[in-house]
Amino acid sequence: MSVPTWRRELSKADYMYQTYRLNVRIGEIVVNGPKKYRENYGDHLIKTCLQALEESQIANSVYVSKNMGRADYEVRRMALRHMIGRVHNISTSFKLYKDLVKKCDGHDPIKLRDEEQEVGERCAYIVSLIKGIVESDKKKLKGIK
């Protein structure tokens, strides 16, 4: 018997899926944006998104258990910390990218604002998920060797 969607808990790996979705969305926006900013700002955004996704996969590859060693814990913790930094950079870089695009003729300011808000909210949500994972790991692994 399946569980109704409204009763399901958030997946422990939801931060990975949300980062994947952010990658897709950033790619769509950059590809459909002005070409003159794509090479510098757009490529940077896409690469940073891919790096954040890579960090999420590294962190997720470390199985959390009471028997895990300090080194494994540090690998996971550092991957999550790097991911937080990259997601913050995505948000900031996207804002800068959109500020430059606003200066181009023919771009709908409402659409630009909505995209800024969407990406900013996605980034904030991902960071909150990651911080939740970090706190959960700390509670699970009190007194790790």
Side-chain angles (χ1 to χ4, degrees):
M1 187 158 128
S2 66
V3 178
T5 55
W6 56 271
R7 294 187 108 192
R8 291 181 191 159
E9 288 187 23
L10 213 56
S11 165
K12 300 296 183 209
D14 193 45
Y15 69 102
M16 291 178 65
Y17 177 66
Q18 294 302 326
T19 305
Y20 168 81
R21 288 185 57 212
L22 178 65
N23 269 271
V24 170
R25 188 64 181 123
I26 291 286
E28 291 170 350
I29 292 168
V30 168
V31 166
N32 293 318
K35 290 180 183 175
K36 65 181 171 183
Y37 299 121
R38 193 175 304 158
E39 189 174 319
N40 294 316
Y41 296 97
D43 287 350
H44 172 75
L45 280 164
I46 290 170
K47 286 176 185 175
T48 306
C49 280
L50 289 170
Q51 290 169 338
L53 185 60
E54 181 181 11
E55 295 290 348
S56 76
Q57 291 172 316
I58 291 167
N60 198 57
S61 71
V62 178
Y63 181 72
V64 178
S65 72
K66 296 258 184 210
N67 300 328
M68 76 186 302
R70 184 75 166 154
D72 287 338
Y73 172 73
E74 286 300 320
V75 166
R76 179 175 168 90
R77 189 178 75 79
M78 289 309 297
L80 292 170
R81 294 272 181 220
H82 288 168
M83 190 178 171
I84 288 172
R86 292 192 199 291
V87 173
H88 281 305
N89 183 260
I90 292 164
S91 181
T92 304
S93 297
F94 190 78
K95 172 80 170 107
L96 175 61
Y97 171 74
K98 284 299 174 175
D99 284 348
L100 291 170
V101 171
K102 282 178 191 175
K103 295 180 180 180
C104 291
D105 293 333
H107 291 280
D108 181 7
I110 294 171
K111 180 182 175 191
L112 294 174
R113 185 200 65 216
D114 290 348
E115 287 174 344
E116 270 185 51
Q117 185 173 352
E118 175 191 357
V119 169
E121 287 172 358
R122 283 179 189 240
C123 288
Y125 181 60
I126 292 168
V127 168
S128 71
L129 290 172
I130 298 167
K131 287 181 177 180
I133 296 290
V134 169
E135 289 303 312
S136 174
D137 286 357
K138 281 181 188 177
K139 287 178 186 174
K140 286 180 190 173
L141 303 171
K142 280 188 180 177
I144 192 167
K145 298 174 186 177

